[in-house]
Amino acid sequence: MHAEALARVESILAQAGIGNPAKDALAIIEAAEHLADKNNHLLCALAMAADRAAGTPLGYVTGRVNFMALELSASPGALVPRDETELLGWTELRMLNDFPVDAEHRLIDMCCGSGNLVCGIASYNPNVRAWASDLTDDAVRLAQSNVRRLQLSKRVDVAQGDLFEPLSGRGLEGTIDVIVCNPPYISSGRLDRDRAELLTHEPRAAFDGGPFGVSIFQRVVRGALLFLKPGGTLLFEIGLDQERQVAILFDRTGGYDPVTTVNDCQGHARVIAGRRRLV
């Protein structure tokens, strides 16, 4: 039955023009076998295939997603983690490898969404003590669920509110080693024109970066200075060709050393980092 179902699901996805239908078909079959009883595996898989063929993100279809080699829950109302965001997670983990092994590493995940970054980083580094924040109910509930799923509740707190606001008054100011942020970074106009398909299933708040795509960058760059310790680092995921705009935002504050960038495997800068000046 497994081989027959896999072939049928892959055929449905291929006919719909889904990229890499074999990979998605396998994920759907595995999810169906987990969700339905044995007699209904095929019916469940076919229903999920129809949703995927209609353009529903795979993570929403299966209810789970792989990120940094971890299995996380996914659900509507929070952005489905993208492969490119793993570059930010692995970059931060490499940075933490240079920290003292017997010290607590304090981290904030801003605009945490499903909690994929904070869960990935904290799972691989047991010295991380982290706080995460997002604006929406759906994202916060999902992030909290993933924290519990990975048994990270003792080291990761998830709060709801506008950027740094829910973290104020906790004694975190001036104590944070690293802040990571995957903000909305598509301009409002572009989102309404050539990227409108993103809004069919996923929340606008996860994509809309304001008139020029850098509104959240601007606010986080300023707000992070209150929380970072001298020498602490703020890292962002950025969109294609945004490095110059974001570098200017860092420079205008006067509080950071010159930024550095990390390229993806296609040679595009997708991570930018600024270190809070020591003096």
Side-chain angles (χ1 to χ4, degrees):
M1 197 285 294
H2 182 93
E4 174 193 353
L6 184 63
R8 289 181 64 177
V9 169
E10 184 175 344
S11 176
I12 291 169
L13 301 183
Q15 290 177 28
I18 298 297
N20 204 341
K23 179 182 178 182
D24 283 17
L26 182 59
I28 286 172
I29 293 299
E30 290 175 347
E33 291 178 345
H34 174 73
L35 293 171
D37 61 67
K38 186 175 181 180
N39 294 328
N40 292 301
H41 285 170
L42 179 57
L43 289 176
C44 181
L46 292 176
M48 295 167 79
D51 282 346
R52 181 71 183 110
T56 303
L58 181 64
Y60 291 169
V61 171
T62 63
R64 54 191 184 181
V65 63
N66 289 319
F67 183 83
M68 295 178 69
L70 300 171
E71 184 178 283
L72 302 175
S73 297
S75 65
L79 181 74
V80 178
R82 268 54 171 180
D83 290 343
E84 56 264 30
T85 304
E86 291 191 358
L87 180 63
L88 178 56
W90 294 124
T91 298
E92 172 50 28
L93 278 171
R94 287 194 298 272
M95 180 181 296
L96 290 175
N97 286 338
D98 295 330
F99 283 41
V101 296
D102 57 348
E104 180 180 81
H105 311 328
R106 291 192 150 205
L107 177 140
I108 290 175
D109 179 5
M110 187 54 54
C111 306
C112 69
S114 66
N116 50 300
L117 277 168
V118 71
C119 285
I121 294 167
S123 291
Y124 288 109
N125 189 313
N127 292 324
V128 165
R129 174 70 173 96
W131 294 263
S133 172
D134 204 286
L135 183 61
T136 69
D137 292 338
D138 289 338
V140 168
R141 280 196 297 267
L142 182 58
Q144 290 171 338
S145 174
N146 279 320
V147 167
R148 291 191 298 269
R149 177 191 184 103
L150 295 172
Q151 300 181 344
L152 296 170
S153 298
K154 291 183 178 180
R155 293 191 290 119
V156 178
D157 291 336
V158 182
Q160 182 176 1
D162 184 25
L163 298 182
F164 292 100
E165 180 272 330
L167 303 182
S168 297
R170 299 190 182 202
L172 301 180
E173 290 84 352
T175 73
I176 301 300
D177 297 293
V178 179
I179 298 173
V180 294
C181 182
N182 178 21
Y185 53 67
I186 301 175
S187 69
S188 303
R190 186 180 176 214
L191 194 56
D192 289 329
R193 295 190 306 271
D194 55 339
R195 302 303 303 276
E197 78 284 353
L198 294 171
L199 304 180
T200 304
H201 300 283
E202 295 178 276
R204 185 183 188 100
F207 299 105
D208 195 336
F212 303 101
V214 295
S215 296
I216 302 300
F217 290 105
Q218 188 173 33
R219 295 181 60 202
V220 173
V221 165
R222 292 198 306 263
L225 288 171
L226 181 63
F227 287 84
L228 288 171
K229 63 173 59 174
T233 303
L234 170 61
L235 299 95
F236 287 110
E237 177 179 324
I238 58 175
L240 294 176
D241 301 320
Q242 279 189 320
E243 61 267 31
R244 184 173 179 275
Q245 287 175 286
V246 179
I248 290 171
L249 297 177
F250 274 99
D251 185 59
R252 282 177 177 169
T253 69
Y256 296 90
D257 292 335
V259 300
T260 58
T261 58
V262 180
N263 292 350
D264 63 16
C265 57
Q266 282 80 44
H268 303 297
R270 297 307 305 269
V271 171
I272 192 166
R275 184 171 176 262
R276 192 181 188 281
R277 286 182 176 168
L278 294 173
V279 292

Coordinates of all heavy atoms in Angstrom, one line a residue, residues 70-114:
L70 N 15.7 19.2 12.9 CA 14.8 18.9 14.0 C 13.3 18.9 13.4 O 13.1 19.6 12.4 CB 14.8 20.1 15.0 CG 16.1 20.3 15.7 CD1 16.1 21.5 16.6 CD2 16.5 19.1 16.6
E71 N 12.5 18.1 14.0 CA 11.1 18.1 13.5 C 10.3 19.0 14.4 O 10.2 18.9 15.6 CB 10.5 16.7 13.6 CG 9.1 16.6 13.0 CD 8.5 15.2 13.0 OE1 8.9 14.4 12.2 OE2 7.7 15.0 13.9
L72 N 9.6 20.0 13.8 CA 8.8 21.0 14.5 C 7.4 21.0 14.0 O 7.1 20.6 12.9 CB 9.4 22.4 14.2 CG 10.8 22.7 14.6 CD1 11.3 24.1 14.2 CD2 11.0 22.5 16.2
S73 N 6.5 21.4 14.9 CA 5.1 21.6 14.4 C 5.0 22.8 13.6 O 5.7 23.8 13.8 CB 4.2 21.7 15.7 OG 4.2 20.5 16.4
A74 N 4.0 22.7 12.6 CA 3.7 23.9 11.8 C 2.2 24.0 11.7 O 1.5 23.0 11.8 CB 4.3 23.7 10.4
S75 N 1.7 25.2 11.7 CA 0.3 25.4 11.6 C 0.0 26.8 11.0 O 0.8 27.7 11.1 CB -0.4 25.3 13.0 OG 0.0 26.3 13.9
P76 N -1.2 27.0 10.4 CA -1.6 28.3 9.9 C -1.6 29.3 10.9 O -1.9 29.1 12.1 CB -3.0 28.0 9.3 CG -3.1 26.6 9.1 CD -2.2 25.9 10.1
G77 N -1.2 30.5 10.5 CA -1.1 31.6 11.5 C 0.4 32.0 11.8 O 0.6 33.0 12.4
A78 N 1.3 31.1 11.4 CA 2.7 31.4 11.6 C 3.4 30.9 10.3 O 3.0 29.9 9.7 CB 3.3 30.6 12.8
L79 N 4.4 31.7 10.0 CA 5.2 31.4 8.8 C 5.8 30.0 8.8 O 6.3 29.5 9.8 CB 6.3 32.4 8.6 CG 7.2 32.3 7.4 CD1 6.5 32.8 6.2 CD2 8.5 33.1 7.6
V80 N 5.7 29.2 7.7 CA 6.4 28.0 7.6 C 7.9 28.2 7.5 O 8.3 28.9 6.5 CB 5.9 27.2 6.4 CG1 6.6 25.8 6.3 CG2 4.4 26.9 6.5
P81 N 8.7 27.7 8.4 CA 10.1 28.0 8.3 C 10.7 27.6 6.9 O 10.4 26.5 6.3 CB 10.7 27.1 9.4 CG 9.6 26.9 10.4 CD 8.4 26.9 9.5
R82 N 11.6 28.4 6.4 CA 12.2 28.2 5.1 C 13.6 27.7 5.3 O 14.3 27.9 6.3 CB 12.3 29.5 4.3 CG 11.2 29.9 3.4 CD 9.8 29.9 3.9 NE 8.8 30.4 3.0 CZ 7.6 30.5 3.2 NH1 7.1 30.1 4.4 NH2 6.7 31.1 2.3
D83 N 14.1 27.0 4.2 CA 15.4 26.4 4.3 C 16.5 27.5 4.4 O 17.5 27.3 5.1 CB 15.7 25.6 3.0 CG 14.9 24.3 2.9 OD1 14.4 23.9 4.0 OD2 14.8 23.8 1.8
E84 N 16.3 28.7 3.8 CA 17.3 29.7 3.8 C 17.5 30.3 5.2 O 18.6 30.8 5.5 CB 16.9 30.9 2.9 CG 15.6 31.5 3.1 CD 14.5 30.9 2.2 OE1 14.6 29.8 1.8 OE2 13.6 31.7 1.8
T85 N 16.5 30.1 6.1 CA 16.6 30.7 7.5 C 17.6 29.8 8.3 O 18.1 30.2 9.3 CB 15.3 30.7 8.1 OG1 14.4 31.6 7.3 CG2 15.3 31.4 9.5
E86 N 17.8 28.6 7.8 CA 18.8 27.7 8.5 C 20.2 28.4 8.5 O 21.0 28.2 9.5 CB 18.9 26.3 7.9 CG 17.6 25.5 8.1 CD 17.8 24.1 7.7 OE1 18.9 23.7 7.2 OE2 16.9 23.3 7.9
L87 N 20.5 29.2 7.5 CA 21.8 29.8 7.5 C 22.0 30.7 8.7 O 23.1 30.8 9.3 CB 22.0 30.6 6.2 CG 23.3 31.4 6.0 CD1 24.5 30.4 5.9 CD2 23.2 32.3 4.7
L88 N 20.9 31.4 9.1 CA 21.0 32.3 10.3 C 21.2 31.4 11.5 O 22.0 31.8 12.4 CB 19.7 33.1 10.4 CG 19.6 34.0 11.6 CD1 20.7 35.0 11.7 CD2 18.2 34.8 11.5
G89 N 20.5 30.3 11.6 CA 20.7 29.5 12.8 C 22.0 28.9 12.9 O 22.7 28.9 14.0
W90 N 22.6 28.3 11.8 CA 23.9 27.7 11.9 C 25.0 28.8 12.1 O 26.0 28.5 12.7 CB 24.2 26.9 10.6 CG 23.3 25.7 10.4 CD1 22.5 25.5 9.3 CD2 23.1 24.6 11.3 NE1 21.8 24.3 9.5 CE2 22.2 23.7 10.7 CE3 23.6 24.3 12.5 CZ2 21.8 22.5 11.3 CZ3 23.2 23.1 13.1 CH2 22.3 22.2 12.5
T91 N 24.8 30.0 11.5 CA 25.8 31.1 11.7 C 25.8 31.4 13.2 O 26.9 31.6 13.8 CB 25.4 32.3 10.9 OG1 25.4 32.0 9.5 CG2 26.3 33.5 11.2
E92 N 24.7 31.5 13.9 CA 24.7 31.8 15.3 C 25.3 30.7 16.1 O 26.1 31.0 17.0 CB 23.2 32.1 15.7 CG 23.1 32.2 17.2 CD 24.1 33.2 17.8 OE1 24.5 34.2 17.1 OE2 24.4 33.0 19.0
L93 N 25.1 29.4 15.8 CA 25.7 28.3 16.5 C 27.2 28.4 16.4 O 27.9 28.1 17.4 CB 25.1 27.0 16.0 CG 23.8 26.6 16.6 CD1 23.2 25.4 15.9 CD2 23.9 26.3 18.1
R94 N 27.7 28.7 15.2 CA 29.1 28.8 15.0 C 29.7 29.9 15.9 O 30.8 29.7 16.5 CB 29.5 29.0 13.6 CG 29.3 27.7 12.7 CD 30.0 27.9 11.4 NE 29.5 29.0 10.6 CZ 28.4 28.9 9.8 NH1 27.8 27.7 9.6 NH2 28.0 29.9 9.1
M95 N 29.0 31.0 16.0 CA 29.4 32.1 16.8 C 29.5 31.7 18.3 O 30.4 32.0 19.0 CB 28.5 33.3 16.7 CG 28.8 34.5 17.5 SD 27.6 35.8 17.2 CE 27.9 36.2 15.5
L96 N 28.5 30.9 18.7 CA 28.4 30.5 20.1 C 29.5 29.5 20.5 O 29.9 29.3 21.6 CB 27.1 29.9 20.5 CG 25.9 30.9 20.5 CD1 24.6 30.1 20.7 CD2 26.1 31.9 21.6
N97 N 30.0 28.8 19.5 CA 31.2 27.9 19.7 C 32.4 28.6 20.2 O 33.3 27.9 20.9 CB 31.5 27.1 18.4 CG 30.5 26.0 18.1 OD1 29.7 25.6 18.9 ND2 30.4 25.7 16.8
D98 N 32.5 29.9 20.0 CA 33.7 30.7 20.5 C 33.4 31.2 21.9 O 34.4 31.8 22.5 CB 33.9 31.8 19.5 CG 34.4 31.4 18.1 OD1 35.0 30.3 18.1 OD2 34.1 32.1 17.2
F99 N 32.2 31.0 22.5 CA 32.0 31.4 23.8 C 32.5 30.4 24.8 O 32.7 29.3 24.5 CB 30.5 31.6 24.0 CG 29.8 32.8 23.4 CD1 30.2 33.2 22.2 CD2 28.9 33.5 24.1 CE1 29.6 34.3 21.6 CE2 28.3 34.6 23.5 CZ 28.7 35.0 22.3
P100 N 32.8 30.9 26.1 CA 33.3 29.9 27.1 C 32.2 28.8 27.3 O 31.0 29.1 27.4 CB 33.3 30.8 28.4 CG 33.5 32.2 27.8 CD 32.7 32.3 26.6
V101 N 32.7 27.6 27.4 CA 31.8 26.4 27.4 C 31.1 26.3 28.8 O 30.1 25.6 28.9 CB 32.6 25.1 27.1 CG1 33.2 25.1 25.7 CG2 33.8 24.9 28.2
D102 N 31.6 27.0 29.8 CA 31.0 26.9 31.1 C 30.2 28.1 31.5 O 29.8 28.2 32.7 CB 32.1 26.7 32.2 CG 33.1 27.8 32.2 OD1 33.2 28.6 31.3 OD2 33.9 27.8 33.2
A103 N 29.9 28.9 30.5 CA 29.1 30.1 30.8 C 27.7 30.1 30.1 O 27.5 29.4 29.1 CB 29.9 31.4 30.3
E104 N 26.8 30.7 30.7 CA 25.4 30.9 30.2 C 25.5 31.8 29.0 O 26.1 32.9 29.0 CB 24.5 31.4 31.2 CG 23.0 31.5 30.7 CD 22.1 32.1 31.8 OE1 22.1 33.3 32.0 OE2 21.4 31.2 32.4
H105 N 24.9 31.4 27.9 CA 24.8 32.3 26.7 C 23.4 32.8 26.5 O 22.5 32.1 26.3 CB 25.2 31.5 25.4 CG 26.4 30.7 25.5 ND1 27.5 31.1 26.3 CD2 26.8 29.5 25.0 CE1 28.5 30.1 26.2 NE2 28.0 29.2 25.4
R106 N 23.3 34.1 26.7 CA 21.9 34.7 26.7 C 21.5 35.2 25.3 O 22.3 35.9 24.6 CB 21.9 35.9 27.7 CG 22.0 35.4 29.1 CD 21.6 36.6 30.1 NE 21.0 36.0 31.3 CZ 20.2 36.7 32.1 NH1 19.9 38.0 31.8 NH2 19.7 36.2 33.2
L107 N 20.4 34.7 24.9 CA 19.9 35.0 23.5 C 18.5 35.4 23.4 O 17.7 35.0 24.2 CB 20.1 33.7 22.7 CG 19.7 33.7 21.2 CD1 20.7 32.9 20.4 CD2 18.3 33.1 21.1
I108 N 18.2 36.3 22.5 CA 16.8 36.7 22.2 C 16.5 36.4 20.8 O 17.3 36.7 19.9 CB 16.6 38.2 22.4 CG1 16.6 38.6 23.9 CG2 15.3 38.7 21.8 CD1 16.5 40.0 24.3
D109 N 15.4 35.7 20.5 CA 14.9 35.5 19.2 C 13.7 36.5 18.9 O 12.6 36.3 19.5 CB 14.5 34.1 19.0 CG 13.9 33.7 17.6 OD1 14.0 34.6 16.7 OD2 13.4 32.6 17.4
M110 N 14.0 37.5 18.2 CA 12.9 38.5 17.9 C 12.2 38.2 16.6 O 12.8 37.7 15.7 CB 13.6 39.9 17.8 CG 12.7 41.1 17.7 SD 11.5 41.1 19.0 CE 12.5 41.1 20.5
C111 N 10.8 38.4 16.7 CA 10.0 37.9 15.6 C 10.1 36.4 15.4 O 10.4 35.9 14.3 CB 10.3 38.6 14.3 SG 10.3 40.4 14.3
C112 N 9.9 35.7 16.5 CA 10.2 34.3 16.5 C 9.4 33.4 15.7 O 9.7 32.2 15.4 CB 10.3 33.8 18.0 SG 8.6 33.7 18.8
G113 N 8.1 33.8 15.3 CA 7.3 32.9 14.5 C 7.0 31.6 15.2 O 6.6 31.6 16.4
S114 N 7.3 30.5 14.5 CA 7.0 29.2 15.1 C 8.0 28.8 16.1 O 7.9 27.7 16.7 CB 7.0 28.1 14.0 OG 8.3 28.0 13.4

